[in-house]
Amino acid sequence: MPLASDLVTSPIAILSALPQEQRGLMELLQRPRKVIHASRDFWLGDLHGQPVVLALSKIGKVAAATTTTALIERFGVLRIVFTGVAGGLGHGVKVGDVVVATDFVQHDLDASPLFPRYQVPLYGKTRFHCDAVLSALLFEASCHALAHESRMAHGFAGACVHQGLIASGDRFVSGADESRRLRDLMARAGHDVLAVEMEGAAVAQVCMDYGVPFAVMRTISDRADDSAHIDFPSFVDAVASRYARVVIERFLSKL
Ligand code: ADE
């Protein structure tokens, strides 16, 4: 458990997967300084008077684990927040909605019959939990942003914020049959998945290893169906950066 004085002085990390998702935050960053480490650009500076490090996880679980480890080991961050996009998997999780994660599971992890399907070997765990306090703040910030930012919700009538399980795997899920199969298979194993992406569970596992609290918000860019590969890039370019910026501004102002 970090001391309160450490939380004031150590930067909070804000992770995004892609440059397009980070762009809005970069525009707000005060006193930006770039540090290159582990073949990555880390941007130090202030957002809303708080010291922050902005970083890209890149795509996939291994890349995300490297960035997360570097943030903790090299930059001494004691809290990590991830903003990005995800494919909607759960019933009623629509493009334009936001999902704030409660916990993560790796949908492509299968060391059976040595270990139960989805369990992370030698951890004795299948799900990795997000920090309740940071997640509650992120949930509030997401609700506030959707309610008060008409430009944000523009084009997504009835957009709402969900809270629940996200599944990560090293695969872009882009087929209606595949996403239905994945949802049903996981539900049968007791995992009711709201959304699918490619990094969160790795960030969660590294954060658990180091005892670093973290929280994740993902805007739904596609339904992981046959048009996911078309919806994803246009959403990321047009909308994701704005969502991240508005939600993180509110989140930091309440921290
Ligand atoms: N991130 C955004 N959409 C996704 C999808 N359909 N599959 C995996 N990761 C995603």
Side-chain angles (χ1 to χ4, degrees):
M1 184 71 164
L3 297 172
S5 54
D6 291 338
L7 290 181
V8 174
T9 53
S10 84
I12 179 163
I14 303 174
L15 260 176
S16 318
L18 299 168
Q20 298 95 314
E21 295 164 334
Q22 194 188 50
R23 198 179 50 232
L25 295 168
M26 287 290 292
E27 287 165 7
L28 286 184
L29 192 67
Q30 304 287 304
R31 299 190 306 122
R33 279 110 56 212
K34 182 166 90 168
V35 177
I36 300 175
H37 177 71
S39 309
R40 285 153 166 74
D41 295 346
F42 293 85
W43 286 94
L44 284 71
D46 296 323
L47 273 184
H48 266 281
Q50 304 259 5
V52 297
V53 188
L54 305 185
L56 296 179
S57 63
K58 304 195 182 184
I59 295 180
K61 289 183 290 178
V62 175
T66 299
T67 305
T68 308
T69 306
L71 282 168
I72 296 167
E73 290 276 4
R74 168 75 198 266
F75 298 95
V77 306
L78 297 178
R79 291 171 291 184
I80 295 180
V81 176
F82 195 114
T83 71
V85 298
L89 210 66
H91 297 293
V93 180
K94 314 175 296 300
V95 172
D97 286 359
V98 172
V99 175
V100 175
T102 50
D103 49 356
F104 282 90
V105 60
Q106 293 185 46
H107 67 74
D108 58 353
L109 182 50
D110 185 2
S112 63
L114 302 178
F115 297 90
R117 180 127 194 218
Y118 308 120
Q119 190 178 102
V120 182
L122 308 184
Y123 281 70
K125 284 171 76 74
T126 301
R127 294 202 196 177
F128 289 79
H129 290 272
C130 302
D131 180 74
V133 174
L134 291 182
S135 299
L137 276 174
L138 209 47
F139 184 79
E140 191 281 334
S142 303
C143 293
H144 184 273
L146 273 188
H148 292 93
E149 269 290 324
S150 55
R151 271 207 288 164
M152 190 165 142
H154 182 70
F156 304 110
C160 56
V161 186
H162 309 261
Q163 221 169 355
L165 178 65
I166 295 182
S168 310
D170 288 317
R171 177 168 179 76
F172 186 80
V173 181
S174 57
D177 289 345
E178 181 187 354
S179 68
R180 198 176 312 113
R181 249 194 328 271
L182 182 60
R183 182 180 58 237
D184 294 348
L185 195 65
M186 301 223 52
R188 276 201 295 279
H191 306 299
D192 285 320
V193 175
L194 293 181
V196 65
E197 41 84 304
M198 301 178 69
E199 298 83 21
V203 179
Q205 189 171 330
V206 174
C207 284
M208 198 208 73
D209 286 338
Y210 282 94
V212 169
F214 88 106
V216 176
M217 71 76 89
R218 292 275 189 172
T219 309
I220 300 303
S221 56
D222 57 82
R223 274 291 302 171
D225 58 12
D226 299 332
S227 61
H229 63 292
I230 299 162
D231 298 340
F232 172 84
S234 53
F235 188 94
V236 167
D237 284 338
V239 190
S241 153
R242 167 133 201 96
Y243 265 63
R245 176 180 172 146
V246 172
V247 171
I248 290 298
E249 273 191 292
R250 173 77 180 181
F251 171 82
L252 289 174
S253 75
K254 295 285 165 185
L255 205 58

